[in-house]
Structures are given as C-alpha cells and as structure tokens.
C-alpha cells in the first residue's frame, strides 16, 4: 500500500506542478422533486395535499432562535432562518434541498443570520429558484451578501415583499400581514439596546471609511413610505397560511357494490364528478357524492406571528386581517405560532387577542423560556470524549428546565426541537420525534466499544508515570475550539471559531463563523454573558462565509451582555480585511443598525513593515495591544483567496500563538510564526489529496504538520477539517508528540501539550468504525486513481508505438526523402 501511495504522491506532484487550475465541475442534474413537479405540470388543481405538518426547528432559546419547518408532500417551507438553522436541519434530516420558499417575519439578525449560509447551500444542491417572503429589505440583504459570496450564479433568488398579492401553490395560500409598531409614528424608534443614546455617530465615521452616515433617522408619520429603501425595525410581517380543501376519497368497494363500472374507462368521469361534490345519474338512479366519497377535508389555516415587544401588541390586536379569522367557523384557525417574549404573553391585551381565536385553536409559543436540547450529536460526542479527559473535553451545559410559561385561558404548548403539529390527515400534537438527551445512554454506548476502556486506562497509566511539570500548569492562555469544521456547519463540527482566553477578564476570537454564539452558549451556559463581557477583539482571517457570518450575532449579544453585567458599552475591536467594512456598511444602511458596535482595524495595517498613516487606526492598534496585553499582533497574507490573512499573537509574558486561517503551505506564515509556542493550522484534507488541496487552496494533514516543523513551533493543533471527516480526520504518518487534533468545545492549555498526543489511542478506539470506513473510502479512491493513471500511461504508449511504426513504414521514408 505504501508503494501505491508513493505512486499517488508522484501523480499528485505532477498535477501540482502544472499550477492550481481548477477542474470544471460537471453540470448538476435536476433535483428529483423538481422532475416530479414538472411531470405534474403547471395546471395543478387546488386538490390539497394528504399530509401537512409544522415542525419546530429551533424553539426560540437564546442559542438557537425561533424557526419553523412546514412539510407537505408537494412543498417544504421554512419560517425564519437564524444562525444554526441549517446545521439543525442537516442533523435532523430536514431536507434543505427541498426548500423553495423561506418566510421571514422581520429584518433582524436573529431571523436572517443563517440565511446567507442557507442560500449558498441551496445553490450547491442545484436548487434553481428560491423565493424569500417578508420585509422589503430582503432585496438589499441579498445584494449585501453578494459582497462576500460573489454573484450567486446558478440559483434565482426572488423576493416577494409584504405588499405583494397572496401566494398560492399546490399546498396552500399565504397572505402576508404587515404590522407596524406603535412607536413608528410620532416617536423615535428605540433600538432593542436601551443604553445607547439616540443620534450617536457610528465609530466607523472616525476611521478610514470616510462615511458620513448618521445613526438611524427615525420616521414620522410623513415618511413611512420612504422606509422601503432603508432599514425599518418598526415592521414585522405575519403570515396567514390556508390549506387547500382536500377532496374526499373515492370508496371503490362501495362503488362496486352499487354496480358502477369500476376498473373501466367509464368510471373516471364518475370519480371526478363525485369528488367535486356533484351528484350523478347512473342507470336512471341518482347517486349523491357522499354515498361514494369520504367527506372533504376543510382547508384549515395556521398563522405565524412575531411580536418582538409591547409596541407591536396594539397593532396586532387591531389588525383587520386577523379579525377575519377570529371566531369564524368558515375559516377555522388550527394553530397560531407566537414568536413573542414573556413580557408580551403576560400583557392582558395580547392574551385577549389570543382568546378571540376560540377554544379550538392551538397556540405554540417560541421564545427564550422554551428549554430544549437542539444539537444532540454535539452533546453525545462531548459526553463520550469527556470519558477520555474531563478537563480537555468538558461536558456541555444542558438547557435548564425553565419556569412554566404564563397561565393562559387558551390551549398553549411550549416549543421543543422537532415537536410536530399535524394539520392533516388529523389535527394533533406529535411528540415522538422530540429530542431527549440521555448522557447515560451515550456513556454506555462508548463503554461497549471494543478496546475503548482498555485504551483509556492505558493512557491514564502513562500519564501517571510522566506527570506534567508544575511550571507548565498555567491556567492562561486557555484556547477553546468552538468550531473546527470547514465550509458548512454540520452536526459534529461547526464552522471556524476559536476563543483565546488571555486572562480571567480578557479574551479574543480567532474567526467567527455562523453559530459561534450558539457554541459559546452550549459551552458556558449561564456564564456566556460574563465571557462576552471579557471579549476585547475579534480577528477575521478572510471573507468566506464560514469564517465571519457569526460576527454580527456576537456584536449584538455582547451589547446585551454588557447591559446585564452593568458594564459601559464600547465598540469591539475587529481586525479584518478591509472588504468586511463594505458588508457591514451595506447591512447597516439597509437592514439593521450595527456599525456602532465595531471599531475596525484593517488587517493589512498589522503586516510587518506596513505604514499606517491614519492616526485613528494607529490609536486603535495601540488600544488593541493594551486591551489584550499583547506585545505584538502581526498579520501576513496567506495562500488562499484574495485578502486572506494569518496572524501571530505575542503576549507580554513571552508566549506566541500563531493562527493560519485558511491556506496552503505558506512561507510567509512560517517566517512570521518562528518559534511559536502554539500553531493552530488548518488541515482540511487528508494525505493523498494534495491535488484537491491545491484546487481548493487548502492544506493536507502532513503539509500542516510540515509548516509547524519548519516554524519550529513547540506544539501544533490541527483544525478546519473537511466535513467528510465528521468525527475525526485520518491520521498521517507524520503525527508525532508535537501534534494534536482539535474538536469542537476542546479546551487546551499549554500544560496539556504532553497529554494531547497520548489521547490518540483512546480516540482511535472511540471512533474505530468511522476510521475503518474512511480508510476503505481512501483505498477505493486510490485504486481508482491508479487505474486511471495506468490507463493514461497505456494510451500514451500506444500513441508512441503508432507514431514509431508510422515513421518506420516505407511510405513514410519515401515522404521524408
């Protein structure tokens, strides 16, 4: 096998010498559900689906937000798409590729934070079109994300604003209901952050952006229509969804008993007539439709409404659209979904509005009071890793049972992840899929694995014989890996983010992919506000979505944390490529006020030898070093996309941490990181995939280790693994006592360096089945490559022989003569 791998390396070497030209991807086939829809044709009738249910994706807790999935055999819908929703749908097998309609209740990051990642994933699945419904600012949001995603070719994104006519498809008719806060007219709109004064200038104006954008101009009653082109926090959009009536089922056996021509062509018009509720005359006898069909299923409705605060209560109560559905037998409302905080639910006006729907309407509550475990696989793997080393792999915090919601006079249910409400065929709650987290099951499963307990005991004996020196047992710095996967969030590994706790009251983030705040919540639980209060800076390596789309939620949640801690608000220092500013500015101007959260330092200004001519940036750099107790914060360009950076942090106490970001092996990083205490380097792909690593401008495992060895790093932590290595990457022959593998929620101190390599044996036992499967895949891939290489060489040799024979033929000699 080693000979085979040597051959493969030589083949890969030849490929790399030709440059990083990317292979053309084959065109994607149409998705199966789209082909089915094409077969049905555009002339579908409103016959209604047989099965429809709503399912909670995210129950409204602080780490997950509120999101709802609606299923029918014809369509799939998503209501709201906050950070982490895509990850939850992937984990719980809710097919993202089937989504062709996403409904957003308002333009706030808690509702749209996961939308950019979702759109990129839908594009990759080959979905030709997706329609977004909700606030008119969605168009500007799509334009804003193109700043870092590119032109989004291959998927058509359409926005259906709240002013558009009703939407109708095979499943239901959807009416959008705009609701404006009482505070919109005659008063200034107050942000959700009460401590920020009105009219405050964005800190960006004092940096090198040259912007003159003031804090949000607040509308009066005369400029309502002008808000269509800018952000409007006073608008939420509710959705009234009415299922099509489902025709009754034709009773075949009864038709046979009545002598009808079942099984012949003559039965077709009879079936069509009775299903449409018409009587028929057969052999002189009138037959009523109810004699041959079950009763039709009425088209019940459900309503999704968000009421962010008390300012929306009165407009909701007075809305004429809702009044048409309250207490009316001809338009029964089966379910109302309330995305509302407890303060709204306790308001007597809102309670009376709920009661007006009548006793037969169910009410689903989604808010921060709903305690539910969402990321079950994260809890499972962390519980099992904790058996190996409880300090390096601490247990995650479970959602604590929160107090019961307010007692209401209507039937209410608190949201839980995967809770279902079935609308058809029978209206009922279904809890069989609701997540339950049982750590004892996870532990028992691990202990039954072959050689697992033995390898853990052997590792512990080895550690007792070689204890860590006392001088190495410093508590800080403390490195916590929050996201160690690449590209898209998956059930085991979230996308890139690493927290470096510099001291008890100072911390910084290295990259900030989608869901970073959720990872902090699961790691720290009720202490998350304290951690956010210590956050001094964020480094964003480059503008790929898996490295920066969690930043806005960190900014918003940090402001909330500072309020709860009683600390004064000040902007967060963000070191990033200057292109990040364009994204933040566009989102700020059109969607939501965010610029006051940020004091940005261009990453290029921290390169060695860079000249900084802007006094404001110079001041921010000094503030960065002081806030983080750093002697030096240096960046360098790395070999990935344009404007991609790595960084090196040199602490006043002497230690040095180097972070690669995404890169191929990079000499500039080696030079910047000389004699590092710790190198955190991406290792996206396994050995043998060097050609693909060049195509995607990433590193293989051995390449990453090689960078660390050339850098003379004391220790190397590998992270940013391709999601094909869901639990653990394949080990390289170059692994040694200076190399470790990062996992989400792994906690590392410098004193753990001797311990981490010794964890490999228990890790191999825990993930033995996964490693075996990956090895089989690798061997099949290598055999395919060798076969292709041999066929290519055979073809070349045949061409040479043919050419030689042609030259030696008598005719060829005469021609040459």
């Amino acid at each position: 096998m080693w000979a085979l791998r040597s051959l493969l390396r030589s083949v890969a070497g030849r490929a790399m010498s030709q440059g990083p030209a990317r292979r053309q991807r084959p065109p994607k086939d149409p998705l199966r559900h789209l082909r089915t829809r094409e077969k049905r044709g555009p002339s579908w009738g409103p016959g209604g689906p047989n099965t429809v249910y709503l399912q909670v994706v995210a129950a409204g807790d602080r780490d997950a937000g509120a999101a709802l999935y609606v299923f029918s055999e014809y369509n799939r819908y998503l209501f709201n798409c906050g950070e982490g929703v895509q990850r939850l749908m992937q984990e719980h097998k809710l097919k993202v590729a089937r989504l062709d309609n996403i409904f957003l209740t308002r333009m706030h990051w808690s509702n749209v934070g996961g939308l950019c990642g979702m759109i990129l994933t839908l594009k990759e699945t080959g979905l030709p079109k997706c329609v977004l419904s909700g606030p008119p600012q969605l168009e500007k949001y799509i334009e804003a994300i193109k700043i870092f995603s590119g032109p989004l070719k291959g998927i058509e994104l359409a926005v259906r604003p709240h002013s558009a006519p009703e939407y109708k498809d095979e499943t239901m008719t959807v009416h959008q209901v705009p609701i404006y806060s009482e505070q919109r007219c005659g008063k200034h709109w107050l942000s959700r952050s009460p401590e920020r004064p009105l009219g405050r200038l964005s800190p960006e104006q004092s940096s090198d952006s040259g912007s003159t954008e003031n804090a949000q101009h607040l509308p009066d009653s005369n400029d309502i229509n002008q808000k269509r082109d800018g952000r409007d926090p006073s608008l939420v959009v509710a959705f009234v969804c009415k299922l099509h009536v489902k025709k009754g089922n034709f009773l075949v056996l009864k038709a046979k008993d009545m002598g009808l021509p079942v099984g012949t062509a003559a039965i077709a018009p009879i079936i069509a007539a009775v299903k449409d509720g018409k009587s028929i005359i057969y052999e002189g006898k009138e037959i009523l439709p109810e004699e041959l069909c079950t009763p039709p299923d009425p088209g019940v409705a459900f309503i999704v409404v968000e009421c962010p605060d008390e300012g929306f209560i009165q407009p909701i109560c007075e809305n004429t659209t809702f009044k048409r559905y309250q207490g009316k037998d001809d338009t029964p409302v089966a379910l109302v979904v309330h995305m509302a905080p407890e303060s709204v639910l306790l308001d007597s006006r809102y309670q009376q509005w709920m009661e007006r729907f009548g006793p037969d309407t169910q009410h689903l509550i989604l808010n921060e009071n709903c305690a539910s475990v969402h990321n079950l696989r994260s809890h499972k793997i962390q519980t099992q890793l904790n058996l190996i080393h409880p300090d390096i792999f601490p247990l995650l915090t479970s959602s604590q049972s929160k107090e019961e919601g307010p007692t209401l006079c209507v039937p209410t249910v608190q949201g839980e992840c995967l809770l279902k409400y079935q609308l058809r065929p029978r209206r009922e709650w279904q809890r069989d899929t609701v997540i339950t987290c049982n750590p004892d099951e996870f532990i028992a499963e691990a202990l039954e694995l072959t050689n697992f307990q033995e390898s853990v005991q052997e590792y512990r004996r080895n550690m007792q014989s070689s204890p860590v020196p006392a001088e190495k047992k410093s508590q800080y710095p403390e490195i916590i890996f929050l996201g160690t996967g690449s590209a898209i969030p998956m059930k085991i590994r979230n996308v890139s983010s690493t927290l470096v706790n510099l001291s008890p009251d100072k911390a910084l983030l290295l990259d900030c992919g989608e869901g970073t705040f959720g990872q902090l919540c699961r790691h720290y639980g009720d202490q998350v506000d304290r951690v956010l209060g210590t956050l001094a800076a964020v480094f964003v390596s480059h503008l790929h979505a898996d490295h920066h789309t969690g930043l806005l939620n960190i900014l918003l949640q940090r402001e909330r944390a500072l309020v709860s801690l009683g600390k004064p608000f000040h902007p967060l220092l963000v070191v990033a490529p200057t292109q990040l500013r364009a994204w933040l500015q566009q989102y700020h101007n059109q969607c939501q006020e965010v610029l006051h959260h940020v004091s940005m330092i261009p990453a290029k200004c921290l390169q060695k030898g860079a000249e900084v001519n802007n006094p404001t940036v110079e001041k921010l750099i000094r503030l960065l070093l002081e806030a983080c107790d750093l002697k030096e914060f240096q960046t360098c360009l790395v070999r990935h996309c344009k404007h991609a950076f790595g960084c090196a942090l040199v602490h006043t106490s002497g230690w040095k941490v180097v972070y690669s970001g995404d890169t191929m092996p990079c000499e500039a990083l080696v030079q910047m990181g000389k004699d590092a205490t710790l190198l955190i380097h991406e290792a996206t792909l396994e050995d043998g995939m060097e050609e693909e690593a060049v195509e995607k401008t990433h590193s293989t495992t051995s390449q990453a280790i090689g960078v660390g060895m050339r850098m003379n790093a004391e220790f190397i932590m590998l992270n940013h693994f391709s999601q094909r290595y869901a639990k653990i990457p394949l080990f390289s022959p170059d692994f040694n006592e200076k190399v470790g593998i990062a996992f989400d929620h792994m906690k590392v101190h410098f004193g753990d360096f001797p311990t981490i390599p010794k964890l490999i044996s228990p890790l191999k036992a825990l993930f033995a089945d996964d490693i075996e499967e990956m090895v089989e895949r690798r061997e099949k891939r290598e055999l395919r490559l060798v076969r292709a290489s041999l066929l290519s060489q055979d073809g070349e040799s045949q061409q040479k022989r043919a050419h030689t024979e042609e030259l030696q033929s008598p005719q060829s000699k005469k021609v040459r003569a």
Side-chain angles (χ1 to χ4, degrees):
M1 207 63 194
W2 285 110
L4 176 63
R5 286 178 189 152
S6 300
L7 172 61
L8 284 167
R9 285 199 178 98
S10 67
V11 170
R14 288 198 299 273
M16 283 190 288
S17 67
Q18 296 170 5
R22 293 179 181 269
R23 284 196 299 258
Q24 292 295 318
R25 292 184 178 180
K28 288 179 177 163
D29 293 331
L31 299 172
R32 186 174 63 182
H33 72 282
L34 296 176
R35 292 198 296 271
T36 305
R37 190 174 296 175
E38 287 169 5
K39 287 178 184 177
R40 282 204 307 268
S43 59
W44 56 270
N50 294 312
T51 304
V52 184
Y53 61 79
L54 293 85
Q55 189 162 26
V56 176
V57 181
D61 206 351
R62 193 176 174 191
D63 71 323
L68 199 68
Y69 179 73
V70 179
F71 169 95
S72 85
E73 63 260 43
Y74 300 146
N75 307 92
R76 311 286 192 277
Y77 313 89
L78 183 65
F79 288 82
N80 285 345
C81 189
E83 284 189 37
V85 167
Q86 179 186 181
R87 185 184 186 194
L88 290 173
M89 292 182 70
Q90 186 273 336
E91 175 171 351
H92 303 305
K93 297 180 172 56
L94 305 176
K95 291 185 179 178
V96 169
R98 298 296 301 270
L99 288 177
D100 46 16
N101 273 277
I102 301 177
F103 300 96
L104 289 310
T105 54
R106 68 175 172 140
M107 181 49 67
H108 189 278
W109 193 255
S110 59
N111 295 30
V112 302
L115 192 55
C116 45
M118 181 69 79
I119 288 171
L120 293 171
T121 299
L122 291 174
K123 173 176 170 284
E124 288 300 309
T125 63
L127 189 75
K129 182 177 180 179
C130 183
V131 180
L132 310 177
S133 301
Q137 293 83 7
L138 284 170
E139 289 187 14
K140 299 297 184 182
Y141 175 87
I142 292 172
E143 290 303 313
I145 66 174
K146 290 178 182 176
I147 291 172
F148 58 84
S149 69
L152 295 175
K153 293 178 181 177
I155 183 171
E156 179 188 349
L157 293 172
V159 172
R160 187 186 302 114
H162 64 78
S163 56
E166 65 184 31
Y167 164 73
K168 184 180 291 187
D169 59 17
E170 299 99 319
T171 300
M172 62 187 182
T173 302
V174 181
H175 300 270
Q176 299 190 68
V177 184
I179 301 163
Y180 294 97
S181 171
E182 287 182 298
Q183 300 173 6
R184 185 177 200 205
C185 300
K187 298 180 184 179
H188 284 324
W189 173 262
L190 297 177
S191 162
R192 294 184 73 187
S193 308
E195 78 289 353
R196 191 175 69 258
L198 291 171
R200 175 176 174 174
L201 293 178
S202 160
E204 287 298 320
Q205 296 165 47
S206 61
S207 69
D208 57 355
S209 69
S211 171
T212 58
E213 170 75 16
N214 279 0
Q216 178 182 350
H217 172 68
L218 306 167
D220 57 31
S221 57
N222 296 320
D223 66 359
I224 286 177
N225 293 329
Q226 297 175 15
K227 274 303 192 177
R228 286 183 59 84
D229 297 324
R231 58 177 181 259
D232 188 358
S234 66
L235 169 67
V236 298
V237 180
F239 299 93
V240 178
C241 309
K242 190 173 187 301
L243 301 187
H244 300 314
V245 175
K246 180 185 173 294
K247 296 177 181 180
N249 295 324
F250 184 69
L251 302 173
V252 178
L253 294 178
K254 198 166 182 182
K256 275 186 178 181
D257 293 341
M258 297 175 74
L260 296 176
V262 175
T264 69
I267 197 65
I270 295 174
I271 294 175
V274 295
K275 279 197 165 193
D276 286 336
K278 299 173 184 175
S279 300
I280 62 164
I281 304 296
Y282 185 74
E283 294 182 349
K285 182 183 175 183
E286 183 182 11
I287 300 177
L288 300 177
E290 52 266 28
E291 295 181 71
L292 289 174
C293 271
T294 59
D297 190 330
V300 297
F302 67 91
I303 295 174
V304 179
V305 59
E306 179 176 8
C307 187
D309 57 52
E310 291 88 336
F312 290 90
I313 294 177
Q314 199 61 33
I316 287 175
C317 294
E318 296 174 355
N319 188 274
T320 55
T321 302
F322 293 142
K323 287 179 180 179
R324 290 201 296 269
Y325 289 87
Q326 291 178 318
K328 302 290 178 65
D329 294 335
D330 55 336
T331 53
V333 176
L335 177 70
V336 181
V337 181
H338 304 268
M339 300 176 181
E342 296 295 294
S343 59
V344 168
L345 297 174
L346 289 168
D347 192 291
S348 60
R349 295 170 298 164
Y350 198 82
Q351 292 182 11
Q352 290 167 13
W353 177 77
M354 294 171 71
E355 291 171 11
R356 287 201 289 270
F357 283 98
D360 295 330
T361 300
Q362 295 288 317
H363 297 265
L364 173 62
I365 309 299
L366 301 179
N367 63 21
E368 289 188 12
N369 211 46
C370 299
S372 181
V373 172
H374 292 84
N375 302 84
L376 184 66
R377 296 302 296 273
S378 290
H379 283 270
K380 177 179 178 180
I381 195 171
Q382 196 70 12
T383 302
Q384 294 175 338
L385 289 169
N386 180 261
L387 298 172
I388 299 174
H389 198 297
D391 294 328
I392 292 177
F393 302 112
L395 291 173
L396 302 186
T397 60
S398 298
S399 294
Q400 301 297 318
S401 296
K402 301 180 182 176
E403 5 173 294
E404 295 270 335
T407 304
L408 304 173
C409 298
V410 294
T412 59
V413 174
Q414 296 283 102
E416 297 177 80
C417 185
L418 300 190
L419 173 67
K420 284 183 184 178
Y421 183 75
Q422 184 174 267
L423 293 162
R424 190 177 282 168
R426 186 172 59 253
R427 287 161 59 178
E428 63 180 7
W429 292 103
Q430 296 180 342
R431 297 182 173 275
D432 54 311
T433 55
V434 171
I435 290 177
T436 55
C437 185
N438 187 342
D440 293 338
E441 287 183 8
F442 306 151
I443 292 170
E445 182 181 320
L447 296 179
E448 289 174 3
L449 294 171
T450 307
N451 296 328
F452 177 68
Q453 293 190 64
E454 294 82 352
S455 62
V456 171
Q457 291 166 1
E458 179 65 24
Y459 144 73
R460 288 176 179 168
R461 282 194 294 269
N462 290 339
M463 290 308 301
Q464 288 172 356
S465 61
S466 54
V468 178
E471 65 273 11
K472 287 278 188 179
K473 290 185 176 179
S474 173
Q475 187 176 354
Y476 295 99
E478 178 183 75
I479 292 90
I480 296 173
F481 293 95
L482 299 172
T484 57
S486 68
I488 60 174
M490 298 290 272
K491 56 190 173 185
I492 302 296
R493 295 182 183 272
N494 200 48
V495 287
S496 295
S497 185
T498 303
L499 179 70
V500 182
N501 287 318
L502 303 160
S503 69
D505 58 353
K506 294 177 182 177
L508 64 83
L509 274 171
L510 301 175
D511 273 328
C512 195
E514 178 189 336
T516 294
F517 175 71
Q519 293 289 87
L520 282 170
C521 286
R522 287 181 280 279
H523 193 92
Y524 284 104
D526 293 338
Q527 295 298 307
V528 68
D529 280 349
R530 179 191 62 77
V531 176
L532 288 174
T534 68
L535 192 61
V538 176
F539 170 72
V540 175
S541 62
H542 62 290
L543 256 64
H544 283 167
D546 58 324
H547 288 257
H548 78 87
T549 51
L551 175 62
L552 284 177
N553 204 23
I554 288 292
L555 297 175
L556 296 169
Q557 295 290 346
R558 173 179 173 269
E559 185 173 24
R560 171 175 166 174
L562 292 174
V563 172
S564 71
L565 296 168
K567 291 185 176 182
F569 172 81
H570 56 88
L572 183 64
L573 296 166
V574 176
V575 179
T578 52
Q579 291 71 25
L580 181 68
R581 189 194 312 281
W583 150 244
L584 294 176
Q585 186 77 53
Q586 179 89 333
Y587 185 82
H588 173 88
N589 290 345
Q590 306 296 341
C591 303
Q592 184 181 356
E593 191 177 358
V594 293
L595 283 184
H596 71 281
H597 289 279
V598 178
S599 291
M600 189 167 157
I601 302 172
K604 63 184 180 182
C605 295
L606 294 173
Q607 290 178 266
K608 187 175 183 180
E611 293 186 9
V612 181
N613 300 318
N614 188 312
T616 302
V617 175
E618 287 182 341
K619 180 181 176 182
L620 291 176
I621 292 173
R622 289 195 298 272
L623 182 61
L624 171 69
L625 298 177
E626 179 185 338
C628 299
D629 287 336
L630 294 178
K631 182 180 177 183
E632 187 177 2
F633 191 128
Q634 187 178 338
T635 63
C636 72
L637 286 168
V638 292
R639 299 172 65 200
H640 187 53
C641 62
K642 197 174 183 181
H643 310 300
F645 291 86
C647 71
L649 315 176
V650 181
H651 196 257
T652 51
S653 62
W655 57 258
K656 182 176 184 178
V657 171
V658 179
Y659 175 62
S660 72
D662 286 7
T663 182
M664 296 191 289
C666 177
E667 187 59 32
L669 186 73
V670 171
Q671 296 305 317
M672 181 179 72
K674 281 291 184 185
D675 302 319
T677 313
L678 173 64
L679 167 64
I680 302 170
H681 200 289
E682 70 120 291
T684 308
L685 296 164
E686 65 190 85
D687 290 354
M689 300 189 74
E690 287 77 11
E691 182 180 354
E692 186 172 339
V694 170
E695 289 176 3
K696 297 184 176 179
T697 58
H698 286 298
S699 297
T700 64
T701 304
S702 288
Q703 287 173 344
I705 294 171
V707 168
M709 302 307 287
R710 287 161 52 208
M711 190 184 286
N712 193 34
E714 183 179 335
F715 200 77
I716 306 159
M717 286 298 297
L718 304 178
N719 79 339
H720 194 269
F721 302 109
S722 166
Q723 298 291 8
R724 72 186 75 192
Y725 317 114
K727 295 179 182 176
I728 194 168
L730 278 173
F731 292 90
S732 160
D734 293 333
F735 265 73
N736 54 49
E737 71 284 351
K738 297 175 68 173
V739 181
I741 294 171
F743 291 84
D744 282 20
H745 302 289
M746 186 178 187
K747 183 170 67 175
V748 174
H749 304 93
F750 290 169
D752 296 322
F753 291 168
T755 304
I756 292 171
K758 295 182 173 66
L759 302 176
I760 288 180
S761 178
L763 289 172
K764 284 183 174 179
L766 181 60
F767 301 117
D769 291 343
D770 302 275
I771 293 172
E772 183 180 356
E773 184 180 331
M774 289 189 293
V775 169
E776 288 177 2
R777 286 205 306 264
R778 179 178 65 186
E779 289 173 352
K780 288 178 182 177
R781 185 182 67 247
E782 289 174 343
L783 287 171
R784 284 196 305 269
L785 288 171
V786 168
R787 194 177 296 118
S789 177
L790 293 175
L791 287 172
S792 174
Q793 292 174 8
D794 188 44
E796 289 176 5
S797 62
Q798 287 180 4
Q799 287 180 350
K800 286 180 181 178
R801 278 200 304 272
H803 183 62
T804 304
E805 289 171 0
E806 184 182 349
L807 292 175
Q808 292 175 352
S809 67
Q811 285 182 328
S812 179
K813 290 178 180 178
K814 287 179 182 179
V815 170
R816 287 202 303 275

